[in-house]
Amino acid sequence: MAVDVVMPQMGESIFEGTITKWLKKLGDKVERDEPLFEISTDKVDAEIPAPAAGVLREIKVAEGQTVPVKTVVAVIDAANADSSVSPRTPAPESVPASVSASVSKQPPATAQTCPAEKAVEAAFEPRSAAAASPAPAQRGNGQAIRSSPFVRRMAREKNIDLAAVRGTGTGGRISKSDILAAISSTAAPSAQPSAGAVGPGPHVLLEAAVPRERIYFGHYQVQPMSVMRQRIAEHMVLSKRVSPHVYSIDEADMTHVAQLRAAAKIEFEKRNETKLTFMPFFVRACAEALRAFPLVNASVDGANVVLHGEINIGIAVALEAGLIVPVVKNAGEKKFVALQRSINDLAERARGKKLKPEEVQESTFSITNPGIFGGLLGLPVINQPNAAILAIGAIQKRPVVIDDAIAIRSLVYLVLSYDHRIVDGAIAHQFMGQVKRRLETWDEEIL
């Protein structure tokens, strides 16, 4: 019996998926629920399990190709689950994850074509903001304009007529990248790119056209961005374009927390079967400060400020191919042990490509931790649609003056990046002050 393997729908607003890697070859035996291939969406790389046991009889979609959800991507011969079957069709030519170009002094004839845009903007928009967006418009011929609430809000904020934008998504759907390209062309209507220049294209990864001879010279290699890297690039460009970033820096004395953790970490792991890190201390401090200063826990929707009732904290996790921001939902309501378990579980599954789309959505505030790599401090880019993100530096022992005496203390730099459209410096520094006090006067039981 032949069993079709289809491209899964990984979320309500996800209409396409890109196969990044086949984990089985033609003729290989597969078990039910065994990882069969990997896909990439806006912020999630996921392993897709086989729907049945058998032999992989046919691969219909090659690595690197983007297809609509529900498309048949492979066929499993379930009747031969216990026997070896040779493949009846050759594997389609696959697109490698990275390409090493030959040494050359001439640029490629055309710019690298990105995979088709995937309509996954829901990963970056709060439900309340989506509900406030207007209904889809129509073109002059009466045809409905297909776009997400996030795209319609962007168009409204930038005075872009959606009827004049050509959609590159499935069925002519207007994507985030289409709007970014329209914004770029509107901002500089008189700018004419020189011959051979790199234009914005379907994915706006460069702020301005750059003559290609300034890119391709001497000895070089060409390595196409992964799907995740493209999505990260677009998200960062969008955030810097939309939000006026301002930074507030403070320093917290972590000596008490460091001593508490050192004394309890062995017993904590024994009791709870999970490691005790510094992150839940920071998450708890931020959750309480967010409750006291709700504007830092907000989002902007045009001329409206969306104040979130939940405190959902996204925590950046570094991956080999980029980074991902899984979200601890209702972080302010969890007990300390449950908070640590959630943080460890999300980080582990993020590295193992086991996250679900809903686990990287609906954050209201974010934390990034360059300190684990030795970074003293960092100035992070806001994770849209959040109003702020906190960067945690390395915890280091340094000499300080306390009561006119020099003492050695464990100190950490904290940097808050915030959207100056709704958060002013006074609020930002009060927020940081509360986080600092909570860490320095920690009194919560952790065992």
Side-chain angles (χ1 to χ4, degrees):
M1 180 182 68
V3 177
D4 289 338
V5 181
V6 301
M7 174 64 69
Q9 184 161 12
M10 298 294 289
E12 291 182 1
S13 62
I14 296 179
F15 302 97
E16 297 172 325
T18 300
I19 292 182
T20 55
K21 184 178 181 180
W22 281 99
L23 303 175
K24 295 289 184 178
K25 304 185 187 68
L26 286 175
D28 284 355
K29 290 183 179 179
V30 296
E31 298 295 332
R32 181 182 176 85
D33 296 328
E34 181 182 12
L36 183 59
F37 60 98
E38 294 180 358
I39 67 171
S40 184
T41 66
D42 200 351
K43 295 293 278 186
V44 176
D45 282 2
E47 291 180 347
I48 304 304
V55 174
L56 184 57
R57 173 66 73 181
E58 185 177 2
I59 294 178
K60 293 178 174 289
V61 178
E63 292 178 357
Q65 290 187 340
T66 302
V67 295
V69 299
K70 307 303 181 185
T71 297
V72 177
V73 299
V75 177
I76 292 176
D77 187 352
N80 292 281
D82 299 321
S83 62
S84 177
V85 178
S86 59
R88 60 182 174 85
T89 56
E93 182 179 357
S94 63
V95 179
S98 62
V99 177
S100 178
S102 300
V103 174
S104 170
K105 291 192 176 183
Q106 297 297 323
T110 59
Q112 176 71 30
T113 302
C114 299
E117 174 69 13
K118 290 164 286 301
V120 288
E121 294 86 354
F124 302 128
E125 58 179 313
R127 293 180 182 270
S128 53
S133 299
Q138 291 187 337
R139 299 187 188 276
N141 58 8
Q143 181 182 4
I145 299 175
R146 301 181 63 190
S147 62
S148 71
F150 177 74
V151 165
R152 295 195 292 274
R153 186 172 71 249
M154 285 182 63
R156 187 173 68 251
E157 292 175 359
K158 299 298 181 180
N159 295 318
I160 299 295
D161 182 6
L162 287 177
V165 178
R166 184 178 68 85
T168 60
T170 303
R173 185 181 181 85
I174 298 175
S175 67
K176 176 179 64 179
S177 291
D178 297 328
I179 287 294
L180 292 176
I183 293 171
S184 295
S185 61
T186 302
S190 61
Q192 297 296 326
S194 59
V198 177
H203 299 282
V204 184
L205 304 183
L206 299 177
E207 284 293 335
V210 178
R212 300 179 76 206
E213 57 268 22
R214 296 186 187 176
I215 301 176
Y216 297 96
F217 54 85
H219 301 281
Y220 61 84
Q221 290 183 330
V222 177
Q223 295 183 335
M225 289 185 181
S226 66
V227 175
M228 174 176 280
R229 190 75 255 170
Q230 292 175 40
R231 300 293 86 79
I232 292 172
E234 291 169 0
H235 193 44
M236 296 300 98
V237 170
L238 172 66
S239 185
K240 294 293 284 188
R241 178 181 286 121
V242 169
S243 296
H245 282 56
V246 183
Y247 309 94
S248 293
I249 302 174
D250 211 330
E251 187 178 44
D253 187 339
M254 295 290 292
T255 304
H256 175 55
V257 168
Q259 293 171 345
L260 184 63
R261 175 179 174 269
K265 63 181 181 180
I266 295 176
E267 181 65 22
F268 186 94
E269 185 170 355
K270 186 185 300 183
R271 287 190 192 181
N272 304 298
E273 298 183 343
T274 191
K275 290 183 178 180
L276 176 60
T277 68
F278 282 105
M279 186 56 71
F281 295 94
F282 290 106
V283 172
R284 171 71 83 234
C286 287
E288 293 183 7
L290 289 169
R291 190 175 292 112
F293 300 96
L295 276 178
V296 187
N297 195 55
S299 297
V300 177
D301 179 22
N304 297 322
V305 177
V306 181
L307 298 170
H308 299 292
E310 295 78 24
I311 294 176
N312 300 335
I313 298 182
I315 301 175
V317 176
L319 307 176
E320 289 185 7
L323 61 85
I324 196 167
V325 188
V327 182
V328 179
K329 302 291 179 68
N330 295 308
E333 306 303 321
K334 294 182 182 295
K335 294 185 177 180
F336 187 89
V337 173
L339 195 58
Q340 178 70 89
R341 281 203 180 107
S342 295
I343 293 167
N344 290 349
D345 173 63
L346 288 170
E348 182 179 348
R349 288 193 291 112
R351 298 185 182 100
K353 301 180 180 180
K354 303 294 184 182
L355 289 176
K356 301 175 183 178
E358 59 268 23
E359 291 176 321
V360 295
Q361 297 178 7
E362 299 182 353
S363 68
T364 61
F365 181 81
S366 298
I367 296 176
T368 183
N369 187 12
I372 61 174
F373 303 107
L376 192 60
L377 56 80
L379 304 178
V381 178
I382 297 168
N383 182 30
Q384 298 294 328
N386 298 169
I389 179 172
L390 180 74
I392 302 168
I395 299 174
Q396 298 179 331
K397 288 187 176 181
R398 295 195 290 269
V400 296
V401 177
I402 300 177
D403 297 329
D404 293 333
I406 297 176
I408 303 299
R409 309 293 288 179
S410 295
L411 303 175
V412 64
Y413 286 115
L414 304 175
V415 180
L416 185 72
S417 299
Y418 53 96
D419 190 332
H420 210 353
R421 290 178 298 174
I422 59 171
V423 179
D424 294 327
I427 292 176
H429 283 286
Q430 289 178 76
F431 172 87
M432 292 286 276
Q434 174 129 345
V435 171
K436 173 183 169 75
R437 286 190 298 274
R438 185 69 175 89
L439 292 170
E440 293 180 344
T441 60
W442 188 271
D443 59 358
E444 181 179 351
E445 291 291 334
I446 65 174
L447 289 175

